[in-house]
Structure formats: structure tokens, C-alpha cells
Amino acid sequence: MEQENWWIKENHINENLDFAKGVVRKRGLGKAIYYKAYAEDNSISSYIDLPDKGKVAVIAGLGGGTGSGILIDLARHLQQRQRTAEITLFGVMPNHTEGIKENTNAFAALSELEYVSLEDENIFKDIVLLPIDPTDFDGKTGNRIQTGQHLREFDEAAIYLIAAYYNTEGLEDPFAGTPKYAPFTIGIPQVLRYNVEAINEARDAIREILTDKEEALDVEEEIYSEVERFLTKHYNVEDVEPGLRDLDIANLTERIEEVDSFLDFDLFNELDYHSLDVFQDILEDARSESEDIIEQVELVSASLRAVDATGQESATFVDNIDENLAQILERDLRLVAQRKKLLEQRKVIEDNRIRDAVEYLIKSGNTNATPGVKLQRIEAQLEDLSDQRERLEEELESVESELESAKSEQSDEVERLTSEWFRASQEHIEKLQTIDVDELQHDLNTLTNELDSYVQYIVNAESPDEVETADSKSISSTLDSIQDTLTSIGIQFQSQRQAIEGSLSQLKKARIAFLKLNQEEGTLERLTPWQSSTEEDKQQAHKDYQMQKNKLANNEVIEIGPPGGQFSADILYDSSQVIDDVHQKREQLQDDIVAELRTRVDSLPEEHQRSLQSILNEDNPSPDQLRETVRNVFWEEIGETEDIEAEKEEIETKLDHVQSQIEKFDPTISLFQNLNNRRDVWTERTAAFRSKWDEYEDQSEQSVSTQDEDYVYVKNVQPEDVFRATGNETIADSDFFNSREENQRVRNNLEELSKNARNQQYTGLRRRKLSKGRTRYDELKVRLAVLSDAVGYIDNDAIDFEETFSGAFDLGGSGKRTESPYTSWAAELGGPWDIGLTVFIDGVFLDNIRKVVQADGYHNGYRNRESEIGDDILVHHSYGLEDGYFVRRTDLLNMEYDDDVDFYLRDESDIVDNLLEDYYERVDHTKPTDSTED
């Protein structure tokens, strides 16, 4: 493509730059993006793997910009990849009400498709157009809810149309021989669908009833939960006295009776739902044990807690509706129990306005009262309370100001006294802060363990040299730490340390003496008659041992055994005395701090003393907290503000009372506002449930077979014999086509669908018959396909509709020998209970398409759009843009005029030539233009 032929300008892409939702109905923009993608990635052409003689279906909406903008280029590229591929376009025609851009795109697309056919380019084998008039779809901004079901029907039926088009095995191509000037085929898909689930119609009704009941229970449970949270938060409901008003008892009785009637619902019993038995037993057991409705509700609640009424152990459910019914019945009874609880709890509400509002929300008492009046009463009281609070806050502010002024005058003296006390007590406070009993205990435990290790080492030493190697450095280090800690708080530890360290030395000497004492004499020494040196050493060692033993006993740190036998040593040292000393020191420091304060006040109030003692008892007393507490003591000592403070306290009491009321009224309003609409929903859902319930009971004697519904593309019908079809997977598996009556019903219903295909709304044609004088247009052909799994079981007469179409379309009416003006075929495929009927009307030219030629149709939409945007109309075109031009139809022929009809009653070559010469133009878009799009 030449660069100067590039057709996109900046103003063409002034919206939706990321194209997340397509190209905003601009076909030229869609083509440009496609070209860009193709240029940047040439592997795009290999994304579709086409076998020889492959068949490709291109499906696009002609009113949009993306699909209709690239369909010709896409088909060309596919042909370049596989020359023998058969490409068919299935184009969905927009409704003329969808919008001017959609109409413009559709006209431009159809013009280009007609043009390529006239030029014999053979891009598409066939062009099948699908009108969607019956859906009443009027665009993406229209009423999607109203037309959504119709569009879903169209989607389902369109699948059958495409399947019918490609399932023509054994037939000559039924779409061959279409004139170049009439390249379009109108496709009309419809489906006849058997609704074999007649009994499920009743189940659907039950499901709707249960859905409304479930929705009512959902809202009821929501309201109860909110009210219960409100009562629990703002009132003491723990000790509420049992008992209810007669009105409440009657209400609970009515609720239980409603459950009874639910259990007696005929249809549930007809379906043999097992869930009923469990709840009937629960209610019967409760009634057998008590006649009092309150006790019955309590017994039912207890049974529900004890039994899993919705579990498989309680019942084997028939179906999911049976299971859902069990869940609903259980919830209903649980809510009756919760309602009984709320009716009792609401008695704790003292204010009748709040109680009245709560009763209204749970539908107790006078439920007919106007909610607005109730809300106004609460809001008025809240307003009065708010005014009271405002006045009291003003009074409190004034009194606090007076109190602050009085205290300000005394603050200097208080601060002076506080500072004096703190200076006098600071040393004690600092010592108190340094006391860490846990850390000291840890050091003492470490000391004990180290002493134990040292003693064991000495005991196990086997020679004096080994004894001398015993190391006590770690013990000395621990003693240093303990001594530093104790000295910092004024406790002497030196004497204990000396005793410990002396004991370590004495233990070593005792062990050495013991080793010598037990040393054996040599053989020679034993034989001599005189006293040996060894014996003398033992005697000395015995004296040394006794000496060290006595010293150890005096120190009371380590104790050793007697000199005979096995050497033993035990630790006597008890560290608890140190901890006791620390505690005593701590108490002394605390007493000194308190005593320092007592010397400065006439009396120390007990509450301040407790507060002060509490701070002093902390591991690391806070000086700031101590100062603040002492400051309060001095304030009380020298302050003369009792009257003002009493007045302040009185105002605060009143204010607390008012605030407590506001804290009930304010959330009551929020509760009422939040739940009032939900209460309406509860009422509506309950009414809907009861209405459908009553309606079904009134109609329960009618047949369960459904009536035919309104449809546009998919018609639902019931078999004559519902149960004949029940239990079969597909229409082919059933045997109801053995019935002549059923075959006749098939014939009648399919004939109805075939007659729809003659309707202008379905065909999209301006005229079904075209003639001038005795000359008739005979290129219009009808192709009909029936698709169903049971096509082999349906009588041939039931799907023969040639007569239906022959007269309606004047097939063969020209008298000429026209090849196959009507063709039909059948294929064994489709949905399990569907019979698809598709009608193709072949040989349609552009001027006979109603959407194109009608006054508010595609052509006029295109002209109006051109008058809006001028030369920028090219963005609605696609064909030829890469070569610097676009093509379009310049005018239309009116099939209401004989002369225009006569145009199409001539030879094909003359029609083609005249159309190209007189009704088409090529517009060069490379010329500069000043027009811009809106």
C-alpha cells in the first residue's frame, strides 16, 4: 500500500484510544488496525490453519465497526493462504432503530459486498444475511432486559442455521448459481423445542414459591439480627423476665400454624418430599409435651439444636427442592424461636417511643401505624435531648472555666510543694527505679549454679594438683554484678562475698587435706617398726581437714562430710535472704517516699495513698506519675473548690444521663432508617410468597403440562404424553413419535415456524414476489433444512413445506424452467429435545432488502450521516481504502415501481453493467479536505 493512500486521520481516533470496546462503529478504523497488525506481525496469516478445500464461516455484525470493517480483507488473506478455501459470510443485520452509525455501517458494508459480487471478485462463496427484527433490539443503549431473551433465542437458533448450511452432504450445492447482482441469501433460523419436564413446571412453581419464602426469611433474619445486636449493645437483656403479651402469643401461634400449613401443602406430599417428616415429628413432639405455645417454641428450638434436620442422616431427599425445603423449614422455625426471644427482650426498653419503633420493625403490636410518625416522635425526643445536652455542656463549660480559674490561683503553691517533695524524695525514687528483682534473682541463680559446678569439680578432683586448677573467676564476676546491684540501692554485700570467696579457698584446702589423709603407705613403710613419714603427713592432714571443716561451718556457704569414707561437699548458701533484703529495702524506700509526703500535708487521703502505692509498686516507677499523684494530693490539701466541683459533678451526672438517652435514641433512629425499607421488602416478599402459594393452590387441579409461551425464534411445546418422554435423554430416545397425534403436532408446529419465515419481519425482504406484466423475477429460491436427533423418526410429511413457500414466493411462477426453486434437506443433529428449522431465501438483491430501502433505513441513515461529517464518511467504509478510494451505492431502485422492478427482469449482464455504471461511484479519499467528524 502506498503511504499517500493511508486513510486514517487524527480526528478519526478521538475516542476510546485503547479500543477495549472495539472501534466505536468506524469500519475504516477497524480496517486500519487490522492492516497495522498484519504489517507488524506477518505470522497473523498463519493463525488459522486451513486444509485443502477448507470451509470458513466468517460471522460479523454489519452494524459495528470491527467485524464489518475487516471481513473483506480477512477473506482475501484467507484466500491467499488457501486458494481452494470456501469462505461464507454470515452477517447479522442491525435493526434500523439501533442508531445512525449502525445504519451507515450496514449500508456501506452491503454496498461493498454487492460491488465485489458485481465485479466478480468471488471473495465469498455465499453471503448469508440474518435479520433480527423479531428481537426488537434497538441498540446497546436500548432496553436490554426487554430484548435480552429474544437475542438469546436468536443466538440459539443461529447455531442451527450455520449447522444447516454446512450439513448438505449428498446434495448438489443448494446455493449455487446465484446471480452476481443478487448475491445475498436471507437466513431465518428457528427451533421447535419440546419441554418434556412437565412435572418440573410444578417444581419450578415450587421453586419460585420457595425462593420468595427464602427471600422473606433472609430479610426477616437480617432484621432480627440487627434488632438483637441493638438490644444487646444498648440494654441489659441477660436477666429479662420470661412471659409475653397475649398479642405476642397469638402472633407466635400464627407463625407455627403457617409452618403447619406449609407442611400440609398438597404438592409437597404428592412429590413425596421426605423433608416434611422430620419437621412434622418435631412439631408433634413439642405439642405432645406442652400446650403452652411459648414452651412449644422452646422445645422446637431445642430439637433443632439437637437434630441436624437438613443433613443426610435425617432424611434422604428426593431432589434439590426437597433439600431446599428442609433448609427453609428449619430457618423458619429458628426464626420463630428468635422472634420469641426478641419479644421477651424488648420488654427491657423503658422508653415507649423506642419500644414502639422496635416492635414496628419486627411486626409486633400495631403494625399498621405510619412509620413516618414513629420516626418523627423519636427524632423530636432526640432533638429535645440534644438541646438539653447543649445547655448542660454550656453550663459545664462555664463551671469548668470557674474551676480552672480558681485552680490557677493555687497552682503556683501546688507546684512549689510538689517540687520540694520531689527533691527530698528524688534519691529514694532513683534507688527504687534501679531495683530489678528479676535480674538480681537471675544473678543469684547463676551464682548458685556456678558454686555447684565449682564444688563438683573439687569433689571429683583426684590429686592436689588437680584441685589447685579449680577456677573461681566466673564466681567472682557474678559476685561483682550482685554487689554492684545491691550497693546501688544501699545494701551491704561485702561480708557475704568474703564468706563465699573464703569458702572456695577453704574447700580446696579441705579437699587436698582429704586426699593426703587417704594416701596409702608404701610397702617398705608398712614393714618398718617405726612411724613412717606418710603416717605423720596423714595426721597433719587430718588436723588441716578439721580446721577447714570448722571454717566452712562458720561461713555457712559449703558443708563437707567427715574425714573418713568418701569425700562429700554440699552447698548451704541460701540466696533468698538477699531477695528478702531487697524487698525490705524496697518497702523502706517506699515508706520513706510516702513519709516525706506525709510531713507536708495534714492528712493523706486513702485513695491518693493507694494510687501512690500502686505507682511505687511498679517495677520502674514513673517520676511523672508520682509527681502527678502528689500534685493532686496538694491540690486537695490546699484547694478550696469543693462547691464548684460539686456543681460540676452534678452537671456531669445530668449530662451523662442525657448522653445515655441520646446513645439509645440516636442508634434507634439509625436502626429504624436502616431497617424500615428492609421491613417493606420483608412485607413484599412475604406477600409475594403467600400470593404465589395461594395462586398455586387455586390452580393445583390444573394439568402440570405447560402452555405454549410467546417466542420469536425458539418455540417451546409440551408433548401430548409428558410421562412418555420423562426419563429419556433425547428426543430420539423417546418413542412418542410412534404416535400419529404427536407427528401431527410436529407438523402443525413446524408449519407455524415455516409460516413465520414468510413474514416480512423475519425475511427482511421488501417484496416476496416481483413481476411486471407477465414477466416475473424467478431468481428467488427457498432452501429449507430440518435438524434434529430424531429426524429419522419424524414422518416425511411433517417436514414437507414446499406448498407453504411456493405460493408465497411465486416459486416457478414465471413459467420458465427454473432449476430447483425449492430445496429441502434434513440432518440428524441438534439439541436433545430440539427440532431446528432453517429457511434460506437465495437470490436477494440489495434493493429488495427492506432495511436498506425503507424511509428510516440504512440508505437514508447513510445520507444523514454524510451530511453530518462530510468527507469523513470514509471511516464507515472499508473496501478500496488501501488503494486511495472507497465505493458506494449512489441510489436505490424502488420495487414498488414497475419500471424499477423491470430493471431486474433483464439479462444478468445488462443488470450488472447498469448497476456498476449508473448506481456506483468510486470516491478518491486522497484529496485534501477540511471536514472533521463530530
Side-chain angles (χ1 to χ4, degrees), residues 345-522:
Q345 290 180 343
R346 65 106 177 84
K347 294 187 298 182
V348 303
I349 305 174
E350 304 90 354
D351 191 277
N352 66 323
R353 286 158 292 212
I354 297 178
R355 186 170 59 251
D356 191 34
V358 169
E359 288 178 350
Y360 175 80
L361 292 174
I362 63 174
K363 297 185 181 179
S364 173
N366 182 13
T367 59
N368 296 321
T370 305
V373 173
K374 295 180 180 297
L375 184 60
Q376 286 174 1
R377 290 181 62 201
I378 299 172
E379 289 176 335
Q381 179 62 18
L382 179 61
E383 187 175 350
D384 289 344
L385 290 169
S386 298
D387 290 343
Q388 290 181 43
R389 180 175 63 182
E390 187 175 349
R391 288 194 300 272
L392 288 170
E393 286 175 342
E394 290 175 356
E395 291 178 15
L396 181 62
E397 184 178 358
S398 175
V399 170
E400 286 177 337
S401 176
E402 182 182 353
L403 182 62
E404 183 179 356
S405 177
K407 286 184 175 182
S408 176
E409 295 174 0
Q410 302 164 10
S411 64
D412 291 342
E413 179 64 14
V414 169
E415 287 303 318
R416 183 187 67 76
L417 291 172
T418 302
S419 297
E420 285 182 357
W421 166 85
F422 187 79
R423 284 193 298 272
S425 304
Q426 186 170 8
E427 182 179 351
H428 299 320
I429 294 171
E430 290 173 352
K431 286 183 179 181
L432 199 59
Q433 286 180 308
T434 63
I435 295 176
D436 188 341
V437 176
D438 291 338
E439 183 65 27
L440 179 60
Q441 183 65 64
H442 176 268
D443 287 345
L444 290 169
N445 291 340
T446 301
L447 176 63
T448 302
N449 292 334
E450 289 172 345
L451 287 172
D452 184 65
S453 298
Y454 185 88
V455 168
Q456 291 303 316
Y457 183 85
I458 297 297
V459 169
N460 294 327
E462 296 182 356
S463 68
D465 290 340
E466 188 176 352
V467 170
E468 291 296 345
T469 62
D471 186 5
S472 61
K473 291 181 180 178
S474 61
I475 296 175
S476 297
S477 177
T478 303
L479 289 171
D480 288 343
S481 177
I482 295 171
Q483 187 168 7
D484 290 344
T485 299
L486 295 175
T487 302
S488 68
I489 60 175
I491 296 177
Q492 293 298 320
F493 185 67
Q494 183 62 32
S495 60
Q496 288 192 43
R497 177 171 186 164
Q498 289 174 350
I500 292 170
E501 289 175 336
S503 295
L504 299 180
S505 174
Q506 292 154 9
L507 179 63
K508 288 172 70 175
K509 292 176 180 179
R511 178 56 175 157
I512 291 171
F514 186 87
L515 289 171
K516 289 180 179 181
L517 182 63
N518 290 279
Q519 181 180 358
E520 294 184 1
E521 292 179 323

Side-chain angles (χ1 to χ4, degrees), residues 305-320:
R305 289 193 299 271
V307 178
D308 182 8
T310 59
Q312 292 294 333
E313 294 181 2
S314 300
T316 302
F317 300 113
V318 174
D319 56 17
N320 59 348

Side-chain angles (χ1 to χ4, degrees), residues 147-281:
T147 61
Q149 178 59 37
H150 294 166
L151 288 172
R152 285 191 289 274
E153 287 187 30
F154 171 78
D155 290 343
E156 292 182 42
I159 295 172
Y160 280 88
L161 179 141
I162 296 171
Y165 177 86
Y166 285 109
N167 281 273
T168 58
E169 187 175 354
L171 291 176
E172 292 186 9
D173 184 359
F175 302 100
T178 302
K180 290 190 288 185
Y181 62 84
F184 302 113
T185 300
I186 299 295
I188 307 165
Q190 295 181 89
V191 178
L192 178 65
R193 177 169 293 158
Y194 273 98
N195 185 358
V196 299
E197 299 180 354
I199 192 64
N200 284 342
E201 287 293 325
R203 289 174 179 160
D204 289 343
I206 295 172
R207 191 173 284 109
E208 286 188 17
I209 291 171
L210 294 183
T211 297
D212 284 330
K213 178 65 175 177
E214 196 166 22
E215 290 176 354
L217 293 177
D218 286 342
V219 184
E220 183 178 7
E221 185 174 18
E222 177 188 344
I223 291 173
Y224 286 178
S225 298
E226 289 294 325
V227 171
E228 187 171 355
R229 277 194 291 271
F230 168 79
L231 292 174
T232 303
K233 181 176 181 180
H234 299 286
Y235 295 93
N236 181 16
V237 296
E238 295 299 326
D239 301 324
V240 63
E241 294 184 3
L244 294 175
R245 301 173 300 183
D246 291 342
L247 179 67
D248 298 330
I249 292 173
N251 178 258
L252 291 178
T253 303
E254 182 182 344
R255 284 295 298 268
I256 293 294
E257 289 174 350
E258 188 175 284
V259 176
D260 282 331
S261 62
F262 211 44
L263 292 170
D264 293 335
F265 197 26
D266 288 339
L267 186 57
F268 295 156
N269 292 294
E270 289 171 9
L271 296 173
D272 194 24
Y273 278 165
H274 297 171
S275 56
L276 305 178
D277 299 337
V278 178
F279 296 98
Q280 285 170 340
D281 291 344

Side-chain angles (χ1 to χ4, degrees), residues 21 106 119 143 160 165 182 207 283 309 360 370 486 494 514 588 637 670 686 764 808 921:
K21 297 181 179 179
E119 290 287 5
N143 188 340
Y160 280 88
Y165 177 86
R207 191 173 284 109
L283 289 174
Y360 175 80
T370 305
L486 295 175
Q494 183 62 32
F514 186 87
Q588 178 188 342
E637 175 75 13
S670 298
T686 303
E921 68 173 342

Side-chain angles (χ1 to χ4, degrees), residues 92-98 103 129-138 146-147 150-151 154 186-189 711-713 756 759-766 849-852 854 856-858:
V92 180
M93 300 171 61
N95 280 342
H96 64 283
T97 56
E98 290 187 36
N103 287 343
L129 303 180
L130 286 74
I132 58 171
D133 265 20
T135 66
D136 293 328
F137 180 64
D138 56 356
Q146 180 180 355
T147 61
H150 294 166
L151 288 172
F154 171 78
I186 299 295
I188 307 165
Y711 71 97
V712 289
Y713 290 104
N756 288 342
N759 187 307
Q760 191 179 54
Q761 193 179 29
Y762 283 85
T763 66
L765 296 179
R766 184 71 180 86
I849 298 175
R850 184 165 61 96
K851 291 292 184 190
V852 174
Q854 66 188 53
D856 55 352
Y858 299 165

